[in-house]
Amino acid sequence: MKLQVAIDRVSLDRAKEVAAQLDPVVDIIEMGTSLVKDYGCYALNKEELGIHHAELLLDTKTIDEGQYEFDKGFATGADILTVMGAASLGTLQTCYQVAEQAHRQMFIDLMEVDEDKTRQILGFDHAIYGIHHAKDSKTNFDAADSVALFHATYPKVSRINVAGGIDIDQAAKLSQQGIADTVIVGGKIMKSDDPLQAAKEFMKVIK
């Protein structure tokens, strides 16, 4: 299992500082939607961020203008860009085509996507399907149970990622479960006193 660390709601300087620390340790570094909105794709260039080991994900949350946003996102050197599962099928197809042509990856954010829509968008063989519990949601979220249910319902999906307030115990459970490809952790690492040490602790329990 891979560890993706979501860097969000910090200054650009702080994002660069943490990215440099995490780069040799974690698998994927995510520059969250707040950073994309605050600073734009141009400021989040992979080379300028100093990321050399980890993959870079920009959480663009594309909902329309798929060709434009994915072209611009991949031009930064990003390895993975996100598109909302709620987007039109045409947008998803366009984003996937751009990702395939660029030899990069499309992450489909399934936040608030119902079963009918999910079944419509299962045909992207190389895409990452992200189970995402909304930050603003007041409902409880069990990551392992959600992954198990998704896998049982859509067994042909080979790449499942999961995010939503995941702590180290949940990460260990997901690793033991052996279904999800990547666990996405934000606050439990970024809000700790030592993000690098926290990331190392997560890496220990998922590898």
Side-chain angles (χ1 to χ4, degrees):
M1 175 181 279
K2 295 179 180 180
L3 174 63
Q4 175 176 317
V5 179
I7 302 175
D8 237 332
R9 296 176 294 280
V10 297
S11 69
L12 182 59
D13 286 344
R14 177 59 175 162
K16 289 181 176 180
E17 178 187 8
V18 176
Q21 293 173 351
L22 296 179
D23 181 44
V25 175
V26 306
D27 302 292
I28 303 167
I29 294 174
E30 171 188 334
M31 292 293 157
T33 309
S34 65
L35 290 167
V36 174
K37 289 187 175 184
D38 287 347
Y39 301 105
C41 288
Y42 290 111
L44 301 175
N45 182 280
K46 188 175 184 180
E47 185 175 341
E48 292 183 10
L49 289 170
I51 296 174
H52 305 291
H53 168 268
E55 291 183 295
L56 171 63
L57 180 147
L58 297 185
D59 194 7
T60 49
K61 286 190 169 67
T62 295
I63 193 74
D64 195 11
E65 295 282 354
Q67 177 86 44
Y68 182 85
E69 292 195 5
F70 266 47
D71 280 342
K72 289 293 186 181
F74 287 135
T76 69
D79 301 284
I80 311 166
L81 298 175
T82 66
V83 58
M84 300 307 292
S88 71
L89 185 57
T91 295
L92 286 156
Q93 289 169 336
T94 298
C95 291
Y96 188 65
Q97 183 179 33
V98 174
E100 291 286 283
Q101 290 174 345
H103 303 290
R104 307 290 176 84
Q105 302 167 71
M106 176 176 85
F107 180 116
I108 304 174
D109 189 324
L110 297 173
M111 183 166 56
E112 297 298 318
V113 175
D114 63 22
E115 189 171 331
D116 287 342
K117 181 60 182 289
T118 301
R119 292 192 181 281
Q120 293 175 29
I121 60 174
L122 293 178
F124 304 107
D125 293 342
H126 299 150
I128 301 162
Y129 288 78
I131 299 170
H132 186 181
H133 186 62
K135 185 174 180 64
D136 292 336
S137 176
K138 303 303 181 186
T139 59
N140 293 326
F141 178 65
D142 186 297
D145 285 351
S146 297
V147 167
L149 177 59
F150 186 89
H151 179 63
T153 308
Y154 313 107
K156 292 185 178 180
V157 174
S158 60
R159 303 185 68 192
I160 302 172
N161 290 9
V162 59
I166 293 172
D167 60 22
I168 201 158
D169 291 335
Q170 290 174 312
K173 187 176 179 181
L174 286 162
S175 179
Q176 293 163 8
Q177 187 182 54
I179 298 174
D181 180 67
T182 300
V183 59
I184 303 168
V185 181
K188 296 298 181 182
I189 290 176
M190 289 301 299
K191 292 181 181 179
S192 68
D193 292 335
D194 186 342
L196 177 58
Q197 184 57 40
K200 288 179 178 179
E201 293 300 318
F202 271 91
M203 291 294 285
K204 285 179 185 178
V205 303
I206 68 169
K207 296 296 185 181

